[in-house]
Amino acid sequence: GPYGAFNPHHVWMMVVLISGLSLAGYLAMRAVGDRFGPPLLGLLGGLVSSTATTLVYARHARQTPTMALTSSIVILMANLVLSVRLGMIAVAIAPSLMATLWPVLVGNLVAGGLAVLFVWHRSRTGGPLLLPEVANPTELRVALSFGAMYAIILLLASWLSDWAGTRGLYLASAVSGLTELDAIALSTLRLFGNGKLGAEVAANAIGLAILSNLCFKTGLLAWVAGRDFLLRCLPGMMAIGIGIAIGMGWVGYA
């Protein structure tokens, strides 16, 4: 296909990778439930879908105001674990990139981890939490939808990178990262593996996609749960974003 971007075998291998990773979190979440507290539930929810976890617990905070603090822990933890998820994917697809990508992921973990600890210290038990409403990631419809999205974003990223260079890839990362982080991250890793991107550009593109996705979910909090809950979560979300931005600043020195 155009730019050598479409390889059905490779696309399906990426579907298997993401579905397998998501399935592991999905099964663990169903087995554990809320018995071990919000941080663990947020971690498992983030492995399956941080966006779905953010949406569900924003709704939960709106419907049950006394659970707002605990719900904020789940949401922050789900967004914090993005670094772990992306790190696992990068190690599987392009392990050599980790030498350059690690400041972005560590920046997320350190800043976000401090925010979670701070909010957790202030929290009080307020009753049972709902499990995130996510579909089984191995269902054929879900898998095919992700495969199509991945193929489209890979082609888009290849075209923009060829047409506008680094700025084109960054534009694709910012736009695609709003709603589909896995696809643009995998596309960037694929381009790096093919020698079409340098390590620094690839790491910054992934960092930009994470920031874009974080902005989308912050807006989701305001839309679903309202201003008060947004202000409760905003310092933690900003801490995660600042950690990522600092990590991107260190990429050139890694």
Side-chain angles (χ1 to χ4, degrees):
Y3 306 101
F6 182 65
N7 182 323
H9 173 74
H10 179 80
V11 169
W12 194 248
M13 289 299 293
M14 296 303 99
V15 171
V16 171
L17 172 66
I18 294 301
S19 296
L21 181 61
S22 298
L23 178 62
Y26 177 84
L27 294 177
M29 184 174 60
R30 291 297 173 186
V32 171
D34 66 340
R35 292 195 299 273
F36 295 99
L40 181 57
L41 193 57
L43 187 151
L44 296 175
L47 286 177
V48 181
S49 172
S50 61
T51 300
T53 303
T54 299
L55 177 61
V56 169
Y57 287 107
R59 288 175 177 167
H60 191 41
R62 181 190 63 191
Q63 295 166 358
T64 312
T66 57
M67 291 302 300
L69 188 57
T70 308
S71 294
S72 67
I73 297 172
V74 177
I75 290 171
L76 291 176
M77 193 66 191
N79 285 280
L80 175 65
V81 81
L82 272 178
S83 289
V84 178
R85 180 186 178 93
L86 289 176
M88 293 169 67
I89 293 171
V91 168
I93 302 302
S96 62
L97 183 61
M98 285 299 294
T100 305
L101 181 60
W102 71 264
V104 176
L105 304 182
V106 171
N108 185 353
L109 284 173
V110 172
L114 290 174
V116 170
L117 287 175
F118 177 73
V119 177
W120 173 247
H121 180 70
R122 299 172 55 203
S123 69
R124 295 293 184 271
T125 302
L129 283 174
L130 302 173
L131 290 173
E133 298 170 354
V134 293
N136 185 334
T138 59
E139 288 182 357
L140 186 59
R141 181 181 60 82
V142 176
L144 290 176
S145 296
F146 174 78
M149 180 67 70
Y150 168 66
I152 291 170
I153 290 178
L154 180 58
L155 178 60
L156 175 66
S158 300
W159 172 65
L160 285 174
S161 181
D162 181 69
W163 177 60
T166 300
R167 289 179 298 176
L169 177 65
Y170 289 166
L171 175 62
S173 295
V175 174
S176 302
L178 287 172
T179 56
E180 182 47 71
L181 182 58
D182 284 338
I184 185 60
L186 284 171
S187 299
T188 303
L189 292 170
R190 166 73 168 170
L191 293 174
F192 170 78
N194 288 344
K196 297 180 180 179
L197 291 180
E200 184 176 343
V201 172
N204 283 325
I206 291 174
L208 186 59
I210 300 173
L211 285 175
S212 177
N213 189 256
L214 194 67
C215 289
F216 169 76
K217 283 179 284 195
T218 302
L220 195 65
L221 292 176
W223 179 56
V224 174
R227 178 175 176 273
D228 290 343
F229 187 68
L230 170 65
L231 293 178
R232 182 184 294 276
C233 296
L234 191 58
M237 300 293 269
M238 289 179 63
I240 294 174
I242 291 170
I244 296 168
I246 292 174
M248 290 173 67
W250 276 95
V251 161
Y253 301 98

